[in-house]
Amino acid sequence: MARKLLVAYSNTSTHVQTTLDYVTALRDYSGYDTSFLHVTHDAYITSDFDAAGYDVIFHNYCSRFCFDGYVSQSYSAALKRFTGLKVLAIQDEYDHTDKLKAAINEQGFQLVLTCVPQESLEFVYPAAQFPGVRFITVYTGYVPEGFSDARGAGIALKNRPITVGYRGRDIGGRYGRLGFDKFEIGRKMKEICDAKGVSNDIGTDEQSRIYGTAWFDFVGRCRSMLGSESGSNVFDFDGTVQAKYTQMTKQLGRVPSYAEFSPHIADRENQIQMGQISPRVFECAVMRTPMVLFKGRYSDAIQPEVHYIPLEPDFSNVDEVLARLEDIPALEAMSERTYDHLVASGKFSYPAYAARLTGEFDSIIASRARPQAENSLADATPMSLRQQVLHEMPTEHPKTMDDYRATQLRLANLSIFSGPIAIVQERAIPAAPSGSTCDVYGAQIAQLDRLFQRLSRKLEVETSRLYPAWIKLALRSGTSVCDVSASSAGLAKSQFDHEFAKFLADSANYETQRKLCAATLASARGTLEPDRVQSAADALITLDREWITAYCKAYNDLQTARVNFIRAIDADAANRFKERPVLRTAYWAQRARLRIKGSKLEIAGLVVRRVPGATALADVVLKAIRKAS
C-alpha cells in the first residue's frame, strides 16, 4: 500500500503557476497517496485531525511561519500532535529568520528543504540549534514533465519581433543588491535600447506584468530575455532590517530606494551568497529564448557563455551584448545547449525532484520508529458559525484563489445575517459592506481590461496605418485588389478581424448578463431571505469567474492573431517587394515608425538593417520617411 502524504499550503498562492507546480509535484510524481490541506488565513482544523493517519506532512513554502498569525493556530496545534515525518519547504527565508527557526523546532520538523547553499548552512541554521534535523538544498522551482512538449518552441529566433524582452519591478532597497538588480537590469537596458533603436518590450511596473499562458507567448516572441539572480543576501534574523525599512518609509512617504537603504545593510550583503536560479530561466529554456543575465551563481545550475550571455552589472559590455543578439546562429546554438541542459536532460524536472525527495522520505521513515500518538479526545464543543465557514478538510486537489474569495464572501455575509432568526425576520437586513460581496473578481477583470486597452492602442496603429500602407504599396507593385485580399497577409487580417469582432461580441454579452445578475441581486437584497441573496451573489461570482477564463483565452487568441497578422505582412512584403527595393524600403520605413520613437536617422538606420543595399538609397529612405510622416 502506498504511503500517505499530506501537503499543507495556502490557497491564496495557487494562482501562481510555479507555486501550483511545486504544490502538486509530489502528487504527480512521487507515487505517494497525496492529499492537500489549506492551512492559512484562520483555516480551522478540528482536534481529531491526526486520525487521518498520514505518514508524511509536507508543509509548502507558500504557508509561511515567519509571519505572525499567517499559519492558523488550529493547524499548528494539529501539526505538533502529528507523529509522522514532518517536512518543511522554505523560500524567501531571509524574512524574520529567527521566527522561522523557532517554528522548525517548535513544530518538530525532521527534514527541511532550503535554498541556502550547503556551505552556508551553519551561518543560517547552526547545527547545534537543530539536533536531528536534516537540511537539504533545493531550487525554487523545476520543469514539469511534458511542459516543453505542451508549450513548443515559439517563433523561430530570426522572426521574433522583440529583440530584448523583460518584466520586473522595483521592490525598493529592503532585499539588497539582488533585489535591486531585478529592477535595474530592466530600467537601464530599456534606456539603452531606446537610445540605440533596438526593438524591445521591457516593463518594470505592476501594470506591465503578464500572467498565465500570455507570459509564454511573450517569451516566445523575444529574441532574448533579460534576467538576474533571485533571492537576497540580506538576512533579517530578528526583524531589525524590516523595522528600519518601515521607519524610513514613513519618514520619506515612500519606500526607500536601494541607494538610500544600502548603507543600512552593507555589512550584511557579503555574509552569504544566496543567488538563486529562478523558474523564469527554465521557462526561457523551454521556449528556446536566449538569456542575457547579470553574472551570478544561479544555484550553480548554469554557466556564463555556455547557457547565457553575461552582462556586466555596470553595463560596460552592453554594446558587445547587443551585437551578439544579431548573430542568430550563435543564439540558436546557445538556446539549444540551454534546452538540452535544463530541460531535455531531465535533471531539473519535477519527476527528478520528487524522486529525490521520496528517497529522503523513505530513508528517514525506515530509520526511525514512529512515536505512539497521544491519546486526545476530539473537542466536543460544537463549531461556531465562523469555524464552520473556515473549516478545512484534506482534499484531492489544491483549492484556488476562487475558494479563498468564496470563503471571505461567506464570512462577509455571515456578519450581515448574524443573530437569531427571529430578530432577522423582524428587522431590515443591512446592506453589505461595499466590495465585500460579489465584486471579488473586480481587480482581475480591471487588470485584464488594462492589458486589452494597451493591446487596442497597438492594434489601432497597426490596422489603421501599417495595413493600408502595405495595400497601397502592393497595388503599386502591380498586384490586383483581389490578389491582395487573397494573399497570406489579407487572410491573416481577416482572421484577426474575426477574432477581434468575436472578442467584442463576447464582451458585450458578458456586460448584458452581468447587468441582469446585478439586478437580480439588488432585488434579492430587498427581501428578507439571506439564502436568496447568497444564491444571487454566487451567480454573479460564477459569471465573473467564467468571464475571466473566457477573457484570458480571447486575449491570447487575439494576441496570436495579431502576431500572425504582422508576421504575414512582413513575409509578404519581403517576398512581394524582393525585386522592388524602393517599395521594400518604403514599407520598412512605415514599419520602423510604428516600432520605435526616435529621430529620422535612427529610423533610417533600422530600415537600412532590414533592406539589403538600402545604403545606396539614402535619398529614397529619407523621402519615404517624410512621406510616412
Side-chain angles (χ1 to χ4, degrees):
M1 181 182 293
R3 289 194 168 106
K4 295 187 67 176
L5 179 144
L6 182 71
V7 177
Y9 71 104
S10 174
N11 63 15
T12 60
S13 299
T14 53
H15 66 289
V16 179
Q17 188 61 48
T18 52
T19 302
L20 181 61
D21 291 339
Y22 204 103
V23 166
T24 58
L26 291 174
R27 177 199 64 188
D28 296 339
Y29 307 118
S30 71
Y32 278 44
D33 182 3
T34 304
S35 301
F36 302 89
L37 185 68
H38 165 64
V39 299
T40 65
H41 298 84
D42 294 327
Y44 183 68
I45 314 298
T46 58
S47 59
D48 59 352
F49 166 74
D50 195 37
Y54 289 94
D55 297 288
V56 182
I57 289 182
F58 182 91
H59 188 96
N60 191 266
Y61 65 80
C62 61
S63 46
R64 303 178 68 186
F65 282 107
C66 64
F67 297 128
D68 293 335
Y70 187 66
V71 176
S72 77
Q73 293 183 356
S74 60
Y75 165 73
S76 295
L79 184 61
K80 286 181 181 179
R81 295 192 302 269
F82 180 69
T83 60
L85 172 61
K86 304 176 189 181
V87 182
L88 174 64
I90 45 180
Q91 293 182 14
D92 302 340
E93 49 210 294
Y94 27 77
D95 285 320
H96 300 284
T97 313
D98 285 347
K99 291 182 180 180
L100 172 63
K101 291 163 64 175
I104 292 173
N105 285 324
E106 289 172 5
Q107 298 295 337
F109 287 104
Q110 296 104 27
L111 179 63
V112 175
L113 314 183
T114 176
C115 293
V116 176
Q118 288 290 299
E119 68 270 18
S120 300
L121 283 176
E122 191 64 22
F123 171 72
V124 183
Y125 306 107
Q129 296 180 16
F130 301 95
V133 182
R134 175 163 166 70
F135 291 84
I136 64 174
T137 302
V138 298
Y139 299 140
T140 59
Y142 295 82
V143 182
E145 190 176 48
F147 181 65
S148 58
D149 295 333
R151 293 307 318 168
I155 306 168
L157 282 180
K158 64 181 180 180
N159 296 326
R160 296 191 181 186
I162 304 167
T163 303
V164 183
Y166 184 64
R167 287 297 184 271
R169 56 177 175 165
D170 186 0
I171 59 175
R174 157 65 185 91
Y175 296 104
R177 181 73 203 192
L178 291 182
F180 173 68
D181 282 347
K182 289 179 177 296
F183 169 71
E184 181 64 6
I185 193 170
R187 184 200 69 80
K188 184 67 174 177
M189 185 60 89
K190 180 165 183 58
E191 180 182 287
I192 293 171
C193 287
D194 287 347
K196 294 179 176 293
V198 177
S199 65
N200 68 89
D201 191 339
I202 298 173
T204 53
D205 54 20
E206 280 296 327
Q207 289 71 33
S208 65
R209 294 175 74 81
I210 302 173
Y211 298 95
T213 57
W215 168 251
F216 296 98
D217 294 334
F218 172 66
V219 176
R221 296 197 306 275
C222 296
R223 190 186 303 174
S224 69
M225 184 65 63
L226 300 176
S228 62
E229 291 181 299
S230 293
S232 173
N233 296 329
V234 181
F235 273 75
D236 186 8
F237 286 95
D238 56 5
T240 55
V241 173
Q242 184 59 49
K244 181 63 177 178
Y245 193 70
T246 301
Q247 178 190 17
M248 289 185 65
T249 299
K250 291 180 179 178
Q251 291 173 344
L252 296 170
R254 56 171 173 78
V255 296
S257 67
Y258 171 70
E260 292 167 331
F261 197 67
S262 59
H264 303 285
I265 54 176
D267 59 331
R268 301 177 186 243
E269 285 272 27
N270 297 316
Q271 291 177 320
I272 188 174
Q273 297 300 314
M274 281 287 293
Q276 305 292 304
I277 186 171
S278 144
R280 282 192 177 184
V281 172
F282 297 127
E283 293 161 0
C284 287
V286 166
M287 301 305 294
R288 271 82 159 187
T289 300
M291 293 173 286
V292 174
L293 308 178
F294 279 154
K295 282 185 176 179
R297 182 169 180 174
Y298 296 96
S299 305
D300 299 324
I302 54 177
Q303 299 298 321
E305 300 296 351
V306 180
H307 306 115
Y308 68 90
I309 298 173
L311 175 64
E312 296 295 340
D314 61 359
F315 291 83
S316 57
N317 67 330
V318 69
D319 288 337
E320 175 193 344
V321 168
L322 292 177
R324 293 176 65 175
L325 298 184
E326 299 301 321
D327 188 349
I328 300 300
L331 292 179
E332 290 174 336
M334 176 174 282
S335 67
E336 287 302 319
R337 282 197 305 271
T338 307
Y339 177 87
D340 291 343
H341 173 60
L342 294 179
V343 182
S345 69
K347 294 187 297 184
F348 301 88
S349 68
Y350 272 112
Y353 163 74
R356 180 188 179 191
L357 291 193
T358 51
E360 295 281 354
F361 298 169
D362 293 342
S363 175
I364 294 174
I365 291 172
S367 66
R368 61 188 289 271
R370 182 167 180 168
Q372 185 68 34
E374 298 178 7
N375 292 323
S376 62
L377 297 176
D379 189 353
T381 305
M383 286 188 288
S384 66
L385 291 176
R386 178 178 172 81
Q387 288 172 336
Q388 290 179 38
V389 172
L390 295 170
H391 183 220
E392 292 291 336
M393 292 288 289
T395 57
E396 183 178 356
H397 304 285
K399 293 185 176 181
T400 67
M401 182 71 84
D402 291 344
D403 297 292
Y404 168 74
R405 292 191 175 98
T407 297
Q408 297 307 304
L409 176 62
R410 287 193 291 272
L411 286 175
N413 285 340
L414 184 66
S415 68
I416 296 170
F417 303 124
S418 60
I421 295 296
I423 296 178
V424 172
Q425 291 176 342
E426 293 175 3
R427 63 176 173 83
I429 299 173
S434 176
S436 66
T437 59
C438 311
D439 191 25
V440 293
Y441 295 108
Q444 286 91 328
I445 293 175
Q447 170 71 1
L448 288 170
D449 284 340
R450 286 193 295 270
L451 288 174
F452 178 72
Q453 287 165 9
R454 290 216 316 270
L455 178 60
S456 295
R457 287 193 290 270
K458 292 181 180 179
L459 299 176
E460 172 64 23
V461 170
E462 291 163 352
T463 57
S464 66
R465 293 168 61 185
L466 180 62
Y467 188 63
W470 169 80
I471 292 178
K472 184 176 180 180
L473 293 171
L475 295 176
R476 283 178 58 190
S477 70
T479 305
S480 68
V481 174
C482 292
D483 288 342
V484 168
S485 300
S487 67
S488 59
L491 294 175
K493 177 63 165 55
S494 298
Q495 179 61 32
F496 165 79
D497 289 341
H498 170 76
E499 294 293 344
F500 192 75
K502 182 176 180 297
F503 178 87
L504 294 179
D506 290 344
S507 180
N509 183 51
Y510 160 73
E511 292 294 344
T512 300
Q513 293 187 54
R514 200 178 197 285
K515 288 179 181 178
L516 292 174
C517 286
T520 301
L521 178 61
S523 175
R525 281 177 173 162
T527 71
L528 298 177
E529 303 176 32
D531 289 344
R532 184 177 169 188
V533 175
Q534 184 65 66
S535 177
D538 287 345
L540 194 55
I541 289 171
T542 299
L543 177 66
D544 284 348
R545 182 173 63 243
E546 291 175 349
W547 172 237
I548 287 175
T549 300
Y551 203 143
C552 289
K553 183 180 184 304
Y555 179 88
N556 291 333
D557 289 346
L558 188 59
Q559 184 74 286
T560 299
R562 169 181 171 262
V563 171
N564 290 339
F565 165 51
I566 298 300
R567 288 171 58 195
I569 293 182
D570 287 350
D572 186 282
N575 182 59
R576 191 182 301 274
F577 309 143
K578 187 175 183 180
E579 305 301 328
R580 304 287 295 274
V582 172
L583 296 181
R584 189 175 179 187
T585 300
Y587 170 79
W588 278 104
Q590 181 72 358
R591 184 82 160 83
R593 292 191 69 256
L594 301 180
R595 291 180 55 193
I596 63 174
K597 294 181 180 180
S599 68
K600 292 180 179 179
L601 184 60
E602 290 172 325
I603 295 174
L606 180 61
V607 175
V608 166
R609 289 196 296 272
R610 283 289 186 176
V611 185
T615 50
L617 298 169
D619 290 338
V620 176
V621 171
L622 292 175
K623 286 180 182 177
I625 292 171
R626 283 195 292 271
K627 191 170 184 179
S629 300

